[in-house]
């Protein structure tokens, strides 16, 4: 995975955590407001019940003693009783709405409102029973309400309602306390998630980028000091791995070029030339056999081969150039200074007119692919450097590119040697 993709993943993770944190804070603020309103509604409910009980007690203590003041006081207390009962019903409605809102906002913190809901249900049943009893006691005649009976019902059922209201207040307070604990825990979890994600990203960045780049810089300095050919392990498929692979290729190329320059010095023999090419380039390019063929008027001659022992197995070291045979094919490439590259010698042998040179080449090299590098200039001694491999495709991939870049160097150095011997 590329560094950009990994960085994007970590960035997306941090953004996700940030979004969760934002959602959490918004929900927390809303839930805190709702729970506060719920507690306030429960406290108002308890306060209104006590107010109703106080009015009932006041009416009992200050019952009208004469007929003239009776209707005046009854009307006054009746209005206050009605307002208190209506306030209770309104408080219950508000409490139900708060409870519904808080139930929907409790999911993110996994808070349970089951206890609150059960207490509220008990309260509603008790309130409905009280309201029904109160209305029956008052009667249908609003001009002459039976306040004594209503007062008795309030005294009978008021303490029970007060107790249920107190339970509701306790449940609301417990919910608030649990909400505060859950909010703190959730906030701490988000903070830890951010810290862990940052540590993981920092560790990954150090291991995937900083450490490999530091190691690459140290190895580059060693190469700059002359330790050519050093290689680094390229792990993964990211940009650092690509840079490491490019460095390895550069290091081996410099090493091969310098070694070839050192081995293909002026005055080296043809056998030394092919030995140097096989020894230095053999393993890297999977070259199994190297030879030099010279062009001499109407024939080709095998001058040298490496391994040198393979020369003893060649019965036909000279091939006459005839129309359509392999010698004529190679001669045309030498004269035109064109590379000869074959991936499959067996298939090539079927297409061209056979010759003893072709049979000798196939039998003694046991090669599947071959590369011929033209040597020399017009008016001078010319020939071809042959590189044979038991594998197919000498010019495939990065190694093939490097081999193509080394062939002019091989050709130039070998050409100098050929010209010196011609003189």
């Amino acid at each position: 995975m590329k560094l950009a993709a990994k960085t994007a993943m970590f960035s997306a993770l941090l953004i996700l955590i940030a979004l969760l944190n934002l959602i959490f804070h918004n929900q927390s603020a809303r839930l805190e407001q709702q729970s506060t309103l719920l507690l306030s509604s429960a406290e108002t409910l308890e306060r209104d019940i006590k107010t109703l009980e106080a009015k009932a007690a006041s009416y009992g203590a200050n019952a009208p003693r004469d007929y003239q003041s009776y209707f005046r006081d009854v009307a006054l207390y009746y209005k206050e009783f009605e307002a208190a009962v209506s306030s209770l019903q309104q408080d219950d409605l508000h409490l139900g709405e708060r409870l519904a809102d808080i139930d929907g906002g409790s999911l993110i913190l996994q808070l349970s409102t089951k206890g609150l809901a059960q207490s509220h249900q008990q309260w509603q049943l008790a309130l409905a029973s009280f309201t029904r009893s109160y209305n029956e006691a008052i009667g249908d005649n609003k001009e002459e309400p039976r306040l004594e009976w209503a007062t008795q019902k309030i005294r009978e059922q008021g303490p029970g309602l007060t107790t249920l209201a107190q339970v509701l207040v306790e449940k609301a307070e417990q919910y608030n306390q649990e909400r505060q604990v859950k909010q703190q825990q959730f906030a701490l979890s988000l903070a830890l998630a951010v810290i862990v994600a940052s540590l993981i990203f920092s560790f990954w960045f150090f291991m995937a980028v900083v450490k490999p780049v530091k190691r690459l810089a140290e190895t580059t300095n060693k190469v700059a000091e002359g330790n050519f050919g050093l290689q680094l392990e390229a792990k993964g498929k990211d940009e650092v791995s690509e840079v490491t692979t490019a460095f390895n290729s550069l290091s081996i190329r410099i090493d091969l070029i310098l070694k070839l320059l050192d081995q293909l010095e002026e005055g080296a023999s043809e056998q030394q030339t092919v030995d140097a090419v096989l020894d230095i380039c053999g393993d890297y390019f999977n070259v199994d056999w190297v030879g030099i063929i010279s062009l001499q008027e109407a024939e080709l001659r095998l001058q040298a081969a490496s391994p040198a022992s393979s020369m003893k197995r060649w019965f036909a070291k000279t091939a006459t150039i005839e129309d359509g045979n392999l010698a004529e094919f190679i001669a045309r490439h030498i004269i035109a200074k064109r590379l000869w590259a074959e991936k499959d010698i067996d298939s090539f042998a079927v297409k061209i007119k056979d010759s003893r040179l072709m049979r000798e080449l196939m039998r003694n090299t046991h090669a599947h692919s071959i590369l011929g590098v033209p040597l020399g200039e017009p008016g001078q001694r010319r020939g071809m450097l042959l590189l044979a491999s038991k594998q197919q495709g000498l010019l495939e991939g990065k190694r093939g590119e490097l081999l193509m870049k080394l062939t002019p160097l091989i050709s130039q150095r070998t050409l100098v040697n050929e010209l010196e011997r011609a003189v």
Side-chain angles (χ1 to χ4, degrees):
M1 184 181 295
K2 298 294 185 180
L3 291 177
K6 292 180 180 178
T7 304
M9 287 178 58
F10 279 110
S11 300
L13 177 61
L14 292 176
I15 291 174
L16 177 61
I17 294 175
L19 288 175
L20 286 175
N21 191 38
L22 179 62
I23 294 172
F24 163 72
H25 280 296
N26 289 336
Q27 289 292 330
S28 295
R30 184 170 177 270
L31 190 60
E32 183 176 359
Q33 181 183 16
Q34 291 170 347
S35 61
T36 302
L37 290 174
L38 176 69
L39 179 60
S40 176
S41 297
E43 291 173 345
T44 301
L45 193 67
E46 181 185 11
R47 184 171 57 252
D48 287 347
I49 295 172
K50 291 181 178 179
T51 299
L52 181 60
E53 286 185 293
K55 290 184 181 298
S58 175
Y59 177 79
N62 298 283
R65 299 183 181 276
D66 56 69
Y67 184 80
Q68 184 178 3
S69 61
Y70 174 78
F71 288 102
R72 183 191 63 212
D73 292 341
V74 165
L76 179 62
Y77 275 99
Y78 174 66
K79 184 182 294 185
E80 291 179 354
F81 281 7
E82 287 294 307
V85 172
S86 177
S87 179
L88 279 176
Q89 293 175 334
Q90 195 68 27
D91 291 341
D92 178 66
L93 180 62
H94 289 164
L95 187 63
E97 292 175 350
R98 307 300 185 203
L99 189 58
D101 289 341
I102 205 170
D103 186 53
S106 300
L107 181 62
I108 190 171
L109 293 178
Q110 296 182 346
L111 290 169
S112 175
T113 58
K114 185 177 180 180
L116 269 171
Q118 290 177 347
S119 297
H120 183 243
Q121 187 177 12
Q122 292 174 357
W123 155 259
Q124 284 183 318
L125 292 174
L127 179 62
S129 176
F130 165 75
T131 304
R132 186 169 54 253
S133 299
Y134 170 81
N135 289 330
E136 290 175 355
I138 285 291
D140 297 332
N141 188 355
K142 307 301 181 183
E143 298 296 329
E144 296 182 3
R146 299 177 296 207
L147 291 185
E148 290 81 0
W149 292 11
T151 301
Q152 184 179 356
K153 293 297 181 182
I154 294 173
R155 289 173 178 174
E156 291 175 354
Q157 299 185 23
L161 289 174
T162 302
T163 301
L164 290 175
Q166 290 173 346
V167 172
L168 270 173
V169 172
E170 291 175 0
K171 294 290 184 180
E173 290 176 345
Q174 291 176 2
Y175 179 86
N176 264 313
Q177 292 174 358
E178 186 179 358
R179 172 189 57 78
Q180 291 175 359
V181 172
K182 290 281 188 178
Q183 284 179 334
Q184 292 174 357
Q185 292 176 346
F186 198 85
L188 180 61
S189 298
L190 283 177
L192 289 176
V194 172
I195 293 173
V196 170
S198 301
L199 289 176
I200 292 176
F201 178 79
S202 300
F203 178 76
W204 165 80
F205 188 79
F206 176 79
M207 296 300 294
V209 180
V210 177
K211 187 176 180 180
V213 170
K214 183 178 180 181
R215 182 181 57 186
L216 182 60
E218 292 174 351
T219 308
T220 303
N221 289 331
K222 292 180 181 179
V223 172
E225 292 172 358
N227 297 319
F228 303 109
L230 293 178
Q231 300 287 285
L232 290 172
E233 183 180 1
K235 298 180 180 179
K237 297 182 180 180
D238 54 20
E239 289 82 353
V240 175
S241 177
E242 291 177 357
V243 172
T244 303
T245 302
F247 168 80
N248 290 339
S249 178
L250 176 64
S251 178
I252 197 66
R253 289 183 183 198
I254 294 175
D255 188 51
L256 287 174
I257 291 172
L258 293 178
K259 286 182 178 179
L260 280 176
L261 284 172
D262 184 56
Q263 292 294 324
L264 299 178
E265 59 183 3
E266 296 182 8
S269 66
E270 295 165 341
Q271 187 61 48
Q272 289 174 327
T273 298
V274 295
D275 286 341
V277 173
L278 184 60
D279 291 343
I280 297 171
C281 303
D283 292 336
Y284 187 77
F285 296 111
N286 297 319
V287 174
D288 300 298
W289 180 86
V290 180
I292 291 181
I293 294 178
S294 63
L295 175 60
Q296 301 176 358
E297 296 182 356
E299 66 180 16
L300 295 179
R301 180 175 179 79
L302 181 65
Q303 296 293 120
S306 183
S309 58
S310 65
M311 285 286 290
K312 299 178 181 179
R313 299 196 298 267
W314 286 70
F315 297 103
K317 295 183 178 63
T318 302
T320 302
I321 299 175
E322 299 175 355
D323 186 27
N325 70 351
L326 179 64
E328 192 267 343
F329 176 84
I330 295 176
R332 281 192 283 109
H333 278 72
I334 294 174
I335 295 171
K337 294 190 68 63
R338 287 189 291 117
L339 288 175
W340 172 35
E342 292 294 339
K343 295 183 179 180
D344 191 343
I345 293 181
D346 294 332
S347 299
F348 174 76
V350 175
K351 299 176 184 178
I352 197 166
K353 183 177 179 181
D354 197 13
S355 68
R356 295 178 64 186
L357 180 61
M358 183 78 252
R359 291 195 299 271
E360 292 289 301
L361 183 64
M362 293 175 61
R363 184 181 67 183
N364 291 297
T365 63
H366 302 289
H368 287 135
S369 59
I370 194 165
L371 175 66
V373 182
L375 306 174
E377 297 291 339
Q380 302 172 350
R381 189 180 182 191
R382 290 180 289 180
M384 177 174 281
L385 177 70
L386 295 178
L387 307 174
S389 175
K390 295 179 181 179
Q391 300 182 14
Q392 293 185 349
L394 275 170
L395 295 181
E396 294 179 353
K398 295 291 184 181
R399 296 188 178 189
E401 294 178 8
L402 176 56
L403 184 57
M404 287 296 296
K405 293 178 180 179
L406 288 178
T407 50
L409 172 63
I410 298 171
S411 175
Q412 180 185 10
R413 291 287 172 167
T414 307
L415 175 61
V416 172
N417 297 337
E418 292 283 349
L419 289 176
E420 286 183 350
R421 281 187 290 279
V423 175

